[in-house]
Amino acid sequence: MKYYLPESLAAYLQLRHKLAGKDVVLLAGGTDLMPRYERGTPLPDHLVDLKQLSQLSSISVSDNHIEIGALTSIQDLHDHAIIQDEFRALYQAAHEFAGTQIRHRGTIGGNICNASPAGDLLPALYAFGTTLEVTGRAGSRTLPLSDFILGPGKTALRDGELLTSLRLPRDHFESQFIKVGLRRSMAISVINLALVYRRLKISFTELQIAAGAVAPTIVMLDIFTKAYLMDPARLSDHIHLIEEAISPIDDIRATANYRRTVLKNLIADFLKNS
């Protein structure tokens, strides 16, 4: 295995051009990658360490949006005042994210590119309407997060491209993140979801719900939320629309039926009691 440590984005792009078509793995925080190798996954031919690309680890704020570098740590995301104040569900997801050591090493870009349907940051990022910038030798392109993640472990990155940043609009929504795991900490989610909403007194006027670990990718429950907003008094009649939107599986953490039941109960409880 050959190891590389590019010191700039330009150097990275030049290196990836030289390695085009070869077995290349990127190392960001390493919190998911290194355990794989410890469990016996074969090492790649070429390992590119991204830790020197400091320009990708900043958070910048404008009047209309917040831009987060892909190498920003989960802890820096968690500690940022704007995230805490305006993107509460994302802050809560970062707070629930593994333990302190993992949060200091893991990166938001790594969590996105890992493309796990149980990724804790993903429901909030989906619900807030996040867009991503990816960069390659041909230039940069922007796409919605929902178009970037194609399936478990699969993304829309082309050969040589790198996720460089993500952008969230500052729409000043209220929000909530909910996670169900098998233990209180360091647990992969059995179910996670983010609710992003606006209210007038006690009535919801806008509502987005993104659910994780119930399908191959994060599911936006748009048909359910549209029906609920049109007639909230008939919540019990709309609940079946949640089940129709998801496709959970049985695994070592939970059954598909458990996931369906818990997700419906969590959403109904939130809407009745918030």
Side-chain angles (χ1 to χ4, degrees), residues 243-258:
E243 187 167 348
E244 292 177 5
I246 63 177
S247 54
I249 61 171
D250 296 335
D251 62 19
I252 61 173
R253 289 183 292 279
T255 65
N257 186 59
Y258 176 85

Side-chain angles (χ1 to χ4, degrees), residues 162-200:
L162 180 68
L163 172 60
T164 49
S165 67
L166 51 153
R167 179 175 291 191
L168 289 74
R170 295 181 67 187
D171 290 327
H172 303 284
F173 285 110
E174 295 182 73
S175 62
Q176 179 79 29
F177 172 77
I178 303 172
K179 173 177 177 175
V180 176
L182 298 182
R183 56 185 188 272
R184 290 183 61 86
S185 62
M186 299 292 286
I188 297 174
S189 291
V190 172
I191 283 177
N192 55 25
L193 68 151
L195 304 102
V196 174
Y197 52 91
R198 217 184 297 276
R199 287 184 287 198
L200 182 62

Side-chain angles (χ1 to χ4, degrees), residues 5-274:
L5 186 64
E7 296 185 351
S8 68
L9 181 58
Y12 165 83
L13 294 174
Q14 184 177 13
L15 172 64
R16 288 306 309 271
H17 180 64
K18 293 179 180 178
L19 298 177
K22 297 184 179 179
D23 177 25
V24 178
V25 170
L26 306 183
L27 174 63
T31 58
D32 182 74
L33 193 63
M34 299 311 294
R36 291 184 193 176
Y37 296 143
E38 291 172 357
R39 291 193 296 265
T41 298
L43 294 172
D45 294 336
H46 305 275
L47 182 67
V48 180
D49 191 337
L50 304 175
K51 68 171 173 260
Q52 295 288 1
L53 305 186
S54 58
Q55 67 268 43
L56 303 186
S57 58
S58 62
I59 299 177
S60 59
V61 180
S62 72
D63 290 341
N64 298 321
H65 65 266
I66 184 167
E67 187 160 350
I68 304 168
L71 295 182
T72 299
S73 73
I74 309 303
Q75 190 65 46
D76 286 344
L77 184 74
H78 172 278
D79 293 343
H80 198 278
I82 298 295
I83 299 296
Q84 294 177 8
D85 292 343
E86 298 181 21
F87 302 92
R88 188 72 178 173
L90 185 56
Y91 161 74
Q92 292 169 330
H95 187 74
E96 295 282 339
F97 195 101
T100 302
Q101 291 177 318
I102 298 295
R103 288 197 296 270
H104 278 84
R105 285 291 303 170
T107 66
I108 187 170
N111 194 243
I112 292 170
C113 290
N114 193 39
S116 167
D120 280 336
L121 300 183
L122 297 181
L125 292 173
Y126 271 70
F128 282 122
T130 301
T131 56
L132 307 180
E133 181 179 75
V134 299
T135 302
R137 281 181 61 85
S140 297
R141 59 190 179 102
T142 301
L143 67 165
L145 174 57
S146 56
D147 290 346
F148 180 80
I149 296 179
L150 306 178
K154 298 180 181 179
T155 73
L157 281 174
R158 299 166 182 162
D159 187 38
E161 283 188 329
L162 180 68
L163 172 60
T164 49
S165 67
L166 51 153
R167 179 175 291 191
L168 289 74
R170 295 181 67 187
D171 290 327
H172 303 284
F173 285 110
E174 295 182 73
S175 62
Q176 179 79 29
F177 172 77
I178 303 172
K179 173 177 177 175
V180 176
L182 298 182
R183 56 185 188 272
R184 290 183 61 86
S185 62
M186 299 292 286
I188 297 174
S189 291
V190 172
I191 283 177
N192 55 25
L193 68 151
L195 304 102
V196 174
Y197 52 91
R198 217 184 297 276
R199 287 184 287 198
L200 182 62
K201 296 182 179 180
I202 63 172
S203 298
F204 290 88
T205 58
E206 296 181 58
L207 177 64
Q208 298 284 337
I209 303 176
V214 292
T217 61
I218 303 300
V219 176
M220 294 295 299
L221 300 175
D222 293 341
I223 296 176
F224 165 77
T225 56
K226 181 179 179 180
Y228 172 75
L229 290 173
M230 289 179 64
D231 193 353
R234 295 180 58 201
L235 172 60
S236 60
D237 294 330
H238 305 318
I239 285 293
H240 73 94
L241 296 171
I242 297 173
E243 187 167 348
E244 292 177 5
I246 63 177
S247 54
I249 61 171
D250 296 335
D251 62 19
I252 61 173
R253 289 183 292 279
T255 65
N257 186 59
Y258 176 85
R259 288 185 163 100
R260 281 191 291 266
T261 301
V262 170
L263 180 62
K264 290 186 293 184
N265 289 345
L266 288 172
I267 292 173
D269 181 71
F270 178 87
L271 294 175
K272 290 176 183 177
N273 299 311
S274 295

